[in-house]
Amino acid sequence: MKLSLFLAALGLVLTSCGAPRAQETRLKDVIEAGPAQRENASRAKEPHAQSDSEAPAPKPAPQAPPPAWLGARETRSGAGAYLVRWRTEPAEIPMNDEFSLRAWVFAADAPDVVLRDVELVIDAAMPDHGHGMARAPKFVKRDDGSIEAQGMLFHMPGRWELYFDVSKDELTERAQVHVELE
Amino acid sequence: MKRRASFVACLALLCALPAIVAAAQDPAAAAPEFDAKTLTRIRQHSPRPPPPADPTNRVADDPRAAAFGQRLFFETRWSKNGEISCATCHEPERAFTDGKQLGEGLGKLERHTPSVLDVAYNRWFFWDGRADTLWAQAPGPLENDAEMGATRVGAAALVAEDAALRAAYTELFGAPPDVADRTRFPRDAKPSATNASANAAWLGMREEDRDAIDVVLANLAKSFAAYQRKLVTGPAPFDRFVEGLVDGDTTKLAALSPSAQRGLALFVGKANCRLCHSGPNFSDGEFHALGLVPLAGPPPRDSGRHAGAKLVKEHPFNAASRFSDARDGDAALRLSTVRSAPEMWGEFKTPSLRNVARTAPYMHEGQFTTLEQVVRFYSTMEGALPVGHHQETILQPLGLTDVEIADLVEFLRTLDGTDPPEELRRPPGAR
């Protein structure tokens, strides 16, 4: 199923693409992207998926698949230098069950270019209880510049704070949000 | 969607029902009225789904392995004095515990024997969580010189030489290795930090022989687990009550007395027991320090999770080990994220509260004899050791009244589930 979608997308890309060079990057992007993006890529090829414009363009220009951070939750670092976008899997943080969290860092004044030259550490705690997570999540760097924290666990109900510490050149700024678990 | 709709539809009725039931039984004793938030919280504890699968154990749900494991659970011959089986301490007629403060086998143990009823729901095993799967737990008591004092070579020999055990083993795992040569396979050989001669005998064996024995031990361990996974209790009065909350059946709602209902309201409300005793198993599966005074008096010497977090990662039969049937699975990821930190000193696993009325005494050293003592402890925290630097600060004295204490105890008594079938509570073939 996934494969056929992928092949269909490939076919569309091949027949509708103009510049061969651009096509090369497109294919590479599609191949490197995860299954979700592959699906997005194929959906983007459906005529009315992207725009509501009345007259269909004679030959739609190839579009990059939407970045995985699109529609993710956003939080700004304390001193305002960074924007952190993040999403969890599952989308709603479960009470006392493992989840993963993927985050992208942007300069606040360029919120569509993922910063790759910063260090990001993700952590969480329950300040009211004076404890952190019972786990030390595993961090995986993804090709699109995001960091995925695997094996996160919020093992108790109540107020959790999520910390994104962004460091560059010995300077660290923290972006912070809280999550209320029932 | 549909469930939510019917839930909302019932809500108004639900809030009133317990009160009606109570009034019918005893007009003087008022049952609480549960608001929507309380109802949501109550429903997080019931119904209980079946135990989670264990992909690290390929025979976890194989009935043949369970039958074999049941035989092994009651087997005494491999113990050092020929008299001790798992069931010596996990006695079926005592809800698979021993009723003692501290476990007692060949010697006296340092911790209290937990029940193995519903053990398949647990996330970590032992009070300190030093085993990450149910099967990784089994080699411990088998070889511990204060428990059964068996050796893995001796166990492999018994399986190879006893016709019935051999047949059952072979059907599941293939023929056991030929260990007839006692110089190659010394019966008293096992890896041990405390038993130097057993350890020397073990290290004197060829590597491939040790390997073959370890495979047998892992297979036996997985069979112990397959049996214990079946020791699941049936619904408790509390589960019936929650069903009643959902479907409005007054006979089900009568499963909890007004006092127990008030205890339930406290449990998920003011007393906040749900912080740690969460979910259908009434445990978060994680570790906390209650500041209990050790039986031998302060200062505490048992570091609990502090050591357990380290041991579980080094455990030779853990989910990431070569004996695991899912080395890259969720259990292995979970294991790799175990954190060990100084503040875990003195933390112990939150026990499930299911069947708790039948598993006295309580806590990791059996410090408390009755449930009332336990609840009084949470109420006053009297005698609790001060929390260390950096340790969590969740527990505050609750200051409960005597009636509230009695209500909480009454509620805890409604978590008693029905026993697993009789044929699982005795040696196979016995009656």
Side-chain angles (χ1 to χ4, degrees), chain A residues 96 98 129 133 135-136 182, chain B residues 41 286 334 337 339 393:
Chain A
N96 197 22
E98 279 96 355
H129 294 176
M133 269 192 297
R135 302 292 155 75
E182 178 48 48
Chain B
R41 289 181 171 186
E286 297 294 324
R334 176 181 281 169
T337 61
R339 209 166 64 89
T393 50

Side-chain angles (χ1 to χ4, degrees), chain B residues 233-255:
Chain B
T233 57
F238 168 69
D239 299 299
R240 220 165 311 130
F241 177 75
V242 176
E243 268 181 44
L245 285 179
V246 176
D247 67 16
D249 183 334
T250 47
T251 54
K252 290 179 183 165
L253 287 166

Side-chain angles (χ1 to χ4, degrees), chain A residues 95-98 126-138 150-153 155-158 181-182, chain B residues 37 40-41 44 123-124 274-276 278 283-286 288 333-334 336-339 344 390-394:
Chain A
M95 160 49 196
N96 197 22
D97 206 354
E98 279 96 355
M126 290 192 95
D128 300 345
H129 294 176
H131 66 74
M133 269 192 297
R135 302 292 155 75
K138 187 170 146 192
Q150 300 176 345
M152 302 265 296
L153 178 75
H155 63 289
M156 293 171 89
L181 278 195
E182 178 48 48
Chain B
K37 184 171 172 178
T40 309
R41 289 181 171 186
Q44 290 176 343
R123 180 182 285 170
W124 307 107
R274 71 184 284 273
L275 275 185
C276 305
S278 55
S283 167
D284 59 1
E286 297 294 324
H288 305 273
L333 172 65
R334 176 181 281 169
S336 76
T337 61
V338 164
R339 209 166 64 89
M344 290 173 181
H390 291 313
Q391 285 200 304
E392 62 181 25
T393 50
I394 302 169

Side-chain angles (χ1 to χ4, degrees), chain B residues 136-173:
Chain B
Q137 184 280 335
L142 195 66
E143 292 196 323
N144 185 337
D145 283 323
E147 294 182 65
M148 297 166 69
T151 67
R152 58 190 72 187
V153 178
L158 181 68
V159 169
E161 287 154 15
D162 179 276
L165 294 182
R166 185 186 175 88
Y169 182 96
T170 305
E171 194 186 337
L172 284 158
F173 307 109

Side-chain angles (χ1 to χ4, degrees), chain B residues 222-273:
Chain B
K222 288 172 183 175
S223 307
F224 279 114
Y227 164 60
Q228 293 176 92
R229 281 176 66 78
K230 301 194 88 170
L231 300 177
V232 173
T233 57
F238 168 69
D239 299 299
R240 220 165 311 130
F241 177 75
V242 176
E243 268 181 44
L245 285 179
V246 176
D247 67 16
D249 183 334
T250 47
T251 54
K252 290 179 183 165
L253 287 166
L256 256 60
S257 69
S259 165
Q261 292 184 39
R262 291 193 303 267
L264 168 59
L266 284 167
F267 190 92
V268 300
K270 189 174 99 177
N272 229 346
C273 313

Side-chain angles (χ1 to χ4, degrees), chain A residues 92-167:
Chain A
E92 196 171 324
I93 296 178
M95 160 49 196
N96 197 22
D97 206 354
E98 279 96 355
F99 64 97
S100 66
L101 186 150
R102 192 168 164 197
W104 298 258
V105 181
F106 303 82
D109 54 8
D112 48 7
V113 183
V114 178
L115 292 182
R116 290 164 184 266
D117 60 345
V118 291
E119 193 194 326
L120 172 65
V121 173
I122 302 165
D123 200 3
M126 290 192 95
D128 300 345
H129 294 176
H131 66 74
M133 269 192 297
R135 302 292 155 75
K138 187 170 146 192
F139 292 105
V140 179
K141 231 184 153 89
R142 304 276 295 253
D143 287 344
D144 68 348
S146 62
I147 299 281
E148 184 168 291
Q150 300 176 345
M152 302 265 296
L153 178 75
F154 289 0
H155 63 289
M156 293 171 89
R159 182 190 169 97
W160 284 88
E161 286 181 351
L162 250 177
Y163 311 118
F164 302 95
D165 289 329
V166 185
S167 303

Side-chain angles (χ1 to χ4, degrees), chain B residues 24-87:
Chain B
Q25 286 173 338
D26 175 3
E33 293 196 7
F34 301 127
D35 59 19
K37 184 171 172 178
T38 306
L39 281 171
T40 309
R41 289 181 171 186
I42 291 172
R43 293 189 58 190
Q44 290 176 343
H45 294 289
S46 182
R48 188 171 57 164
D54 180 4
T56 67
N57 176 358
R58 68 186 185 288
V59 299
D61 296 308
D62 185 328
R64 295 170 306 168
F68 181 48
Q70 182 172 358
R71 206 178 264 277
L72 303 180
F73 194 87
F74 291 92
E75 179 61 68
T76 56
R77 283 174 291 173
W78 45 25
S79 69
K80 188 155 191 171
N81 64 1
E83 289 170 11
I84 302 172
S85 73
C86 309

